[in-house]
Amino acid sequence: MPVMYIDEAAAHAGQDVTIRGWLRSRRDKGKLHFLIVRDGTGDIQAVVSKATVGDAQFARSAELTQESSLVLTGTLRQDARAPGGYELDVLRLEVLQVAEPFPIQPKEHGTGFLMEHRHLWLRSSRQHAVLRIRHEIIRACRNFFDDRGFTLVDAPIFTPNACEGTTTLFQTPYFDETAYLTQSGQLYSEATAAAFGKVYCFGPTFRAEKSKTRRHLMEFWMVEPEVAFAQLPDMMDLAEQFLSHIVAAVLKGRRAELLLLERDLVKLECVTAPFPRITYEEAIDILQRKGNPAKPGDDFGADDETILSNEFDRPVIVHRYPAALKAFYMETDPERPDLALCMDVLAPEGYGEIIGGGQRIHSHEKLLGRIQEHHLPVEAFQWYLDLRRFGSVPHAGFGMGIERAVAWICGLDHVRETIPFPRMLYRLYP
């Protein structure tokens, strides 16, 4: 008798099968118990009849509590009225454990309570949908780069230097030295791009930024492509192709989960290339016309990005910010040295920056000068400077935070639901 997962039901209709899972809910009707059982791949209704299973097993079924673990054997049949379109007529029931009263009930719970019980909250249908979509996004990221000839070369988590300044770094002892948890794999990807041409890294990154906004986590995942011989326009093209691919993949593979989250699919269906592209100066003009007090030289905050993104029905690329606002490694525009050859891709609906990147300085002398201007330790960046001494070429890349992408595509209010166990300013448990 086959043991099956619930999402395999279509291949086993009319057969006797075994299903292993957990009780989501139970409804009693005389000599019948209707069990909604989940196994991680889906939900199914199982019908326990006293006449079929006998008094002892029927009584055992009556004792089941939410999240009790059980093994059910029965006949699988198609039923359009049942969850998932299939129903199991139970022939035998084995209870592995009757769960203690489950702390999360179908009622309103505060966010603090739910986060304290995150290890159990993950079992809810909503969280299940969010993390399934996260999985689809990650798969789409990998497929996009793999299918285009990129090589995955991951960067280290322990680093001897900062990527974007030292104020938001987690510092840790490293034997007789000091190490930092990585803010980005970009610098190392520049090295591997010089070896492989087209690369990407994909891993956890850390920012010790004391922020409690709905867009920030202390630990998050980044996918970061880097391409030798590429320039800023190449990255704009790649970014819009990349985001269009991801959204299309989620719409195709996780439509049911999006609908469960009540996501407006029409807004996602608008996410197709090409994206609108505006300069930083054009962005300032838009903000000022909207009554925003932004002035040239200001960096954009969440409110500014929301105003800008609301002008478009798909992501917008803002490029050529003032060089003073950007990291030490960013190349400048040869026609306007005060501007960086950089871009931010702002997601629609107020989700803010979802991709940041641009062209890197490839001149040894210029990069050395920028390191010194930023008062960074030259010795820690000697290997990075070496890349400009041995076959340096123009190159460019970008980074996308997975959690912000998940929040946007799912339509979530806060990034805390986008990762199984979020690390926030005041949240390290569980």
Side-chain angles (χ1 to χ4, degrees), residues 150-168:
F150 284 70
T151 300
L152 173 65
V153 189
D154 280 320
I157 290 175
F158 289 126
T159 69
N161 51 263
C163 178
E164 296 180 3
T166 59
T167 58
T168 60

Side-chain angles (χ1 to χ4, degrees), residues 338-357:
D338 59 318
L339 301 180
L341 292 177
C342 65
M343 65 165 186
D344 285 347
V345 183
L346 308 183
E349 305 173 73
Y351 281 92
E353 179 196 335
I354 201 163
I355 282 177

